[in-house]
Amino acid sequence: MNNSKVHFYYKNVTAEVIGTEHGITAEQIDELAQKTTPLIEKLNEHRKAGKTRYRDLPYNEQYPKQVCEIAGQVTKECENFVVLGIGGSALGNIALQTALNPYLYNLDPAQRKGPRLFVFDNVDAMQLTSFLSWIGDKLDKTIFNVVSKSGRTAETAAQFLIIRQMLLEKLGPTGYKKQIIATTDPKEGTMRKIASEAGFRTLEVPDGVGGRFSVLSPVGLLSAALCGIDIESLLAGARDMDQRVSRTDFFANPAALNAAINWHYYNRGKRISVMFPYAWRLKDLSDWYRQLWAESLGKSKNIKGQDVFIGPTPVNALGTTDQHSQVQLYREGPNDKLFTFLQVRDFDNDIVIGAAPESTPELNYLAGKHMSRLLNSEKTGTEYALLHDKRPCLTVFFDQVNAFTIGQFIYLFETTTSLAGLLFEINAYDQPAVELGKEATFALMGQPGYEELAEKIKPVQQIDGGYLV
Ligand code: PA5
């Protein structure tokens, strides 16, 4: 059993540290506790009523079994594993890989336990042609995992159709079907239809679980398991966090504190939420969080149907890189941000910094020190500087970065998002505003049924030369 944990630290948002103009007083935190405690109970009720099915994913025994079975089948025949997906169908896969596998995983066979992993979550002919020309003679050793609940998402569908044609031309219908695994809706939708007709191996995007809450389902688990990530530990970490985020004691519940503090600051005009990991390997988790937070909380209507146009803007930065890019603004620009640092206490790899040349004794202070000490000193230094300017800072500490703590982190932020949805009184599980852009693309690409919309788009499509400089 792994004992490493993630911990949520909130002292540096208090008035004690940054004063009453920007900090939270003891009375205000008590008010937040009173406001949030019934919502924790409500969320626990929602869960019992089956309204938050993502909460039960870490307890599902079927999915890891199915995933490991498929991973076991393909592992010998697979040197390259390619995920085709976008949004919630890709960001979790990328985050797990960056956090839990070595930096040179794809380049160095000695550093990897599974196939090379590629995730295509965009439409870019230059990127794809470069990849296809490399993969062209390795197709029989390459498995493509098309991840799409609907199968209609234009980006994923286009990538799939390109790959399909290439596989059919090079390997014929029998070879083609062997190289594709579809992760899709259990019963319906375009990709389910294609998969059934072609005879692909399939996994489920679980019913009632939105893409951005699906990383602990087959959506994220297959690429992780195949690439040597301990998915049992990942799920155990999520279960561990479940114990903590289900507590009705506000002060013992990290998701409740996190959601309440974020909500509080939004209402005080700090509407930008910066996630600032100080560990390169955590950087894609903040990308995953960015989607979770933005799609879940950015809403025009509240649950009563009233106009609210609400939602904190998630921004991601990376320590220390963005100290040299963003911190000038963060310290001296508008005090409209809440910072959430991610800090690692115990790095599994460390390096001692070498000696300085005799001619440059000014570098001697670095010599003989561990790189992790430098990184964490830079985090504390940046936090100190932000606090000096009365900027509120939270920190999520990782005792270590491993599958168990990453599972905890994912579950912590998913539940935080649900609680924030209740505080903002919005539906955190839909994304109606994404639809119009998707439909406009269908119209522009000539999809039958979208002719009327295509007409409406024409003024935007036509560039007015009078304004072109
Ligand atoms: O979180 C979401 O629901 C979205 O980001 C979807 O995952 C994304 O739009 C892809 O949809 P689909 O899985 O249907 O291709």
Side-chain angles (χ1 to χ4, degrees), residues 96-114 227-229 280-281 349:
L96 291 180
Q97 178 71 3
T98 309
L100 296 170
N101 270 330
Y103 178 61
L104 288 187
Y105 177 91
N106 270 2
L107 280 185
D108 181 3
Q111 293 191 41
R112 65 168 182 262
K113 292 189 197 146
C227 294
I229 290 170
W280 182 87
R281 57 195 298 198
N349 290 307

Side-chain angles (χ1 to χ4, degrees), residues 137-407:
D137 59 354
K138 305 171 187 70
L139 286 178
D140 56 333
K141 299 262 183 240
T142 303
I143 297 288
F144 294 89
N145 180 206
V146 51
V147 186
S148 181
K149 189 173 175 77
S150 59
R152 292 183 74 226
T153 307
E155 296 87 339
T156 310
Q159 287 169 344
F160 167 72
L161 294 177
I162 291 166
I163 299 295
R164 174 181 182 270
Q165 187 171 326
M166 191 170 82
L167 286 171
L168 281 170
E169 278 167 14
K170 297 214 173 173
L171 303 178
T174 315
Y176 150 69
K177 86 171 191 194
K178 271 176 50 193
Q179 304 313 117
I180 297 182
I181 299 166
T183 307
T184 190
D185 188 276
K187 295 188 205 85
E188 52 194 35
T190 304
M191 186 47 63
R192 176 55 61 181
K193 194 169 166 208
I194 295 172
S196 304
E197 283 170 9
F200 299 153
R201 285 171 281 202
T202 60
L203 287 164
E204 283 183 23
V205 179
D207 220 15
V209 176
R212 58 190 176 273
F213 290 91
S214 71
V215 54
L216 299 178
S217 80
V219 169
L221 294 181
L222 180 61
S223 65
L226 200 56
C227 294
I229 290 170
D230 180 353
I231 61 167
E232 268 315 317
S233 265
L234 184 76
L235 296 169
R239 290 194 293 273
D240 183 84
M241 182 54 73
D242 185 25
Q243 304 305 309
R244 294 159 68 192
V245 298
S246 301
R247 287 181 192 154
T248 48
D249 175 0
F250 175 77
F251 290 99
N253 182 327
L257 279 159
N258 195 12
I261 290 167
N262 273 276
W263 176 74
H264 171 88
Y265 274 120
Y266 182 86
N267 294 328
R268 280 174 77 176
K270 297 192 201 308
R271 299 192 160 186
I272 299 171
S273 175
V274 180
M275 184 169 278
F276 210 159
Y278 269 71
W280 182 87
R281 57 195 298 198
L282 301 181
K283 81 176 176 58
D284 291 326
L285 268 182
S286 65
D287 238 14
W288 167 84
Y289 149 82
R290 205 163 59 107
Q291 185 213 13
L292 181 69
W293 206 239
E295 279 197 350
S296 302
L297 302 180
K299 299 289 152 76
S300 64
K301 304 251 181 237
N302 66 13
I303 43 171
K304 294 179 201 131
Q306 296 157 330
D307 282 348
V308 284
F309 302 103
I310 218 161
T313 301
V315 167
N316 48 359
L318 176 66
T320 65
T321 308
D322 286 321
Q323 282 177 220
H324 304 269
S325 159
Q326 301 296 298
V327 167
Q328 173 62 32
L329 169 75
Y330 292 169
R331 280 194 62 205
E332 291 191 5
N335 193 341
D336 57 357
K337 301 171 192 70
L338 170 63
F339 296 90
T340 303
F341 289 102
L342 310 185
Q343 180 173 351
V344 180
R345 284 179 159 155
D346 178 12
F347 287 83
D348 43 6
N349 290 307
D350 216 336
I351 309 175
V352 175
I353 301 167
E358 266 179 36
S359 59
T360 53
E362 65 270 30
L363 295 183
N364 262 342
Y365 76 99
L366 290 169
K369 313 264 169 64
H370 282 97
M371 193 166 236
S372 62
R373 177 171 166 192
L374 175 61
L375 182 62
N376 280 341
S377 299
E378 299 227 29
K379 182 265 174 178
T380 306
T382 301
E383 188 176 20
Y384 168 78
L386 289 168
L387 294 173
H388 177 270
D389 292 304
K390 317 284 183 224
R391 317 284 153 140
C393 297
L394 298 167
T395 295
V396 177
F397 286 105
F398 288 70
D399 286 343
Q400 293 177 326
V401 176
N402 54 42
F404 190 70
T405 53
I406 295 297

